[in-house]
Amino acid sequence: MNGLSMGLILLNLLIIVFVLDRLLHRPVSKYLEARRERIRKELDEANESREQANQLKKSFEEKMQDADAICNEKLATANEQARVQSQNMLSQTQSQADELLAQARKKSQQEYDKAVVDLQRDVTQIAIALAQQILEREVKEEDNQHIIDSFFEEVVR
Amino acid sequence: MLHKYGNLFVSSKMTQKQIDKIVAQFAIRLEATILFDIVVDAALIGGFLAKIDGMTYDASIREKLATFENITR
């Protein structure tokens, strides 16, 4: 191999390198650069989306905490109102029961008193009827005399 | 002497002597001669009831029983 051949080989090599650079390396590099740029852009967008998502998540969690607090507060208020209402109803029911019991006792006492009075009256009437029957049979002349004497001594003065 | 009229109700076991005593006592107490219309009333049980010039003098056992009944009522 002489120097000319070596020069031709070198020239061919340079041509091949030039052609490859023009036809393959530059488009591929350009494509890769564009792809890298697109990927970086997509990564930026993904980061931004993740950041937005984190903010949304944080906002959601805060709103959930607020909602929980409001819910708990309303639940506590409702429980307190229910407790107070229950207490009031219990007190009212107790008062009504006491009043009914007092009325029942009063009525019972009144009926007992009336029964006692009725019984006393009946016993008195029976005793008087018996006394009348006995006196009708037993009153004698001297009894009339005693009545007359007593009357004029004590009543007619 | 003043004359007065009245009704005298006596129990069934009242004797004439007792009736005379009643009439005499009223005459003394009221200072008048009392002319009684005398009626025997067994319902009196004992004693007598006299009505003179609108006044009633009840000395009967029936009245005493009624008084007792009113007191115990």
Side-chain angles (χ1 to χ4, degrees), chain A residues 10-71:
Chain A
L10 185 62
L11 182 62
N12 286 333
L13 185 63
L14 288 173
I15 290 169
I16 291 171
V17 168
F18 178 76
V19 169
L20 287 176
D21 179 59
R22 287 290 182 177
L23 295 179
L24 190 60
H25 179 260
R26 287 190 180 183
V28 168
S29 295
K30 190 177 179 182
Y31 169 76
L32 290 175
E33 183 62 27
R35 187 169 180 268
R36 187 181 301 115
E37 185 63 25
R38 191 176 70 246
I39 290 171
R40 187 170 59 246
K41 190 176 178 182
E42 287 177 356
L43 284 173
D44 290 342
E45 288 177 356
N47 286 331
E48 188 177 349
S49 296
R50 185 167 61 245
E51 186 65 26
Q52 288 179 351
N54 286 333
Q55 288 181 355
L56 284 174
K57 182 184 175 187
K58 186 179 179 183
S59 174
F60 174 75
E61 288 175 348
E62 289 175 354
K63 287 182 179 178
M64 283 297 293
Q65 287 178 352
D66 291 343
D68 283 345
I70 292 172
C71 184

Side-chain angles (χ1 to χ4, degrees), chain B residues 1-4 27-28 30-34:
Chain B
M1 198 170 187
L2 189 61
H3 292 272
K4 291 187 177 183
I28 294 169
L30 300 179
E31 296 177 346
T33 301
I34 313 295

Side-chain angles (χ1 to χ4, degrees), chain A residues 85-148:
Chain A
Q85 190 172 3
S86 172
Q87 189 66 35
N88 288 339
M89 289 177 66
L90 187 64
S91 298
Q92 190 175 1
T93 303
Q94 185 65 42
S95 298
Q96 289 175 345
D98 290 343
E99 187 176 351
L100 286 174
L101 186 61
Q103 288 177 353
R105 283 179 176 161
K106 184 178 179 182
K107 186 176 180 182
S108 174
Q109 185 63 42
Q110 287 175 341
E111 290 178 353
Y112 173 79
D113 293 343
K114 183 177 182 299
V116 170
V117 170
D118 290 345
L119 183 62
Q120 287 177 339
R121 187 189 61 233
D122 292 345
V123 169
T124 301
Q125 287 178 344
I126 291 170
I128 289 172
L130 289 173
Q132 186 172 339
Q133 289 178 3
I134 294 170
L135 288 170
E136 284 173 352
R137 191 175 61 240
E138 298 295 330
V139 169
K140 295 182 172 57
E141 181 182 338
E142 50 267 33
D143 298 319
N144 278 329
Q145 188 62 48
H146 177 71
I147 290 171
I148 294 166

Side-chain angles (χ1 to χ4, degrees), chain A residues 124 139 141 144 147 149 152, chain B residues 13 18 21 29 47 59 72:
Chain A
T124 301
V139 169
E141 181 182 338
N144 278 329
I147 290 171
D149 293 341
F152 285 108
Chain B
K13 293 181 181 176
Q18 289 169 336
K21 182 173 183 179
R29 307 286 175 171
T72 54

